[in-house]
Amino acid sequence: MKISIITVTYNAEATVERTMESVAQQSYADIEHIVIDGASKDRTMEMVRRYAPAIVVSEQDKGLYDAMNKGVRCATGDFLCFLNAGDKLHGKDTIARLVEAIERTGAADEVGIVYGDTDIVDDGGRFLRVRRLTPPEVLTWRSFRSGMLVCHQSFYIRREMAQQYDLRYRFSADFDWCVRCMKEGEREGKRNLYVRETLTDYLSEGMTTANHRASLMERFCIMAKHYGLLMTIACHIGFVFRAIGKK
């Protein structure tokens, strides 16, 4: 079973090496590492090429999600995931354990999505906390009415099911993508598998975090598209009470 790991970069010399190293150190051999770079002007590509990833593309693009679409089109693995600059696979055996979990089901062809937990780390890779939203035991496209319960970097999807990202969304296309991918899996009769362990060390700052308000507005529109306006309003009222209850 081949796993495609897609890393999108742009001027990421400060963080990309930890990501490249974490993939290169995996005990599982059949990994296709794809790097899609937006024509970086720093030493990003010099650092990337030290690790000889399977596929490297460095050219101007239309932004993060356009680059991710290129990665999906390049992938040839059975499953794919995204591990962006600064993020790491949690351990050297993470992919091996993920593949073992799929094979233990005895029906690997029926698995469409594999997902797990996420730790938040700082710029030095030091553990800060477990991600606040935790994955449910049973995940469907309806689950995301409660928010993005699975970190994008801990979400592995069968390649044939992977959708293209909607470039109308600048900050939260990953939220829409995950919902559409799960809808596709349901249409194909696939199951979603929770591996019940940490898959990713996620760098605490990202594009969505830096543009929090715009991201929230996009997520509202995405939820209204998938779940309806009334349900989306009701969910957001619940979010407010949940936030007040934690103060």
Side-chain angles (χ1 to χ4, degrees), residues 129-171:
R129 64 187 183 277
V130 175
R131 187 172 183 264
R132 181 176 61 82
L133 293 179
T134 55
E137 289 287 329
V138 177
L139 180 74
T140 74
W141 65 271
R142 299 168 187 84
S143 302
F144 276 33
R145 289 181 297 192
S146 299
M148 195 160 180
L149 300 181
V150 180
C151 179
H152 192 210
Q153 283 72 18
S154 296
F155 186 96
Y156 290 69
I157 181 169
R158 188 170 291 279
R159 178 173 53 84
E160 292 85 356
M161 287 169 41
Q163 308 291 296
Q164 289 282 289
Y165 289 83
D166 189 336
L167 301 186
R168 291 176 299 176
Y169 303 119
R170 293 185 59 205
F171 307 113

Side-chain angles (χ1 to χ4, degrees), residues 59-108:
E59 60 187 18
Q60 289 188 337
D61 53 47
K62 299 175 184 176
L64 173 64
Y65 297 117
D66 180 43
M68 292 166 93
N69 280 339
K70 292 179 185 180
V72 171
R73 292 193 293 268
C74 287
T76 63
D78 298 285
F79 286 83
L80 65 83
C81 77
F82 289 89
L83 192 70
N84 291 334
D87 302 330
K88 295 173 55 180
L89 296 166
H90 184 66
K92 294 181 181 180
D93 63 346
T94 293
I95 299 300
R97 292 170 68 85
L98 181 138
V99 172
E100 287 172 8
I102 297 171
E103 293 176 343
R104 276 200 306 271
T105 65

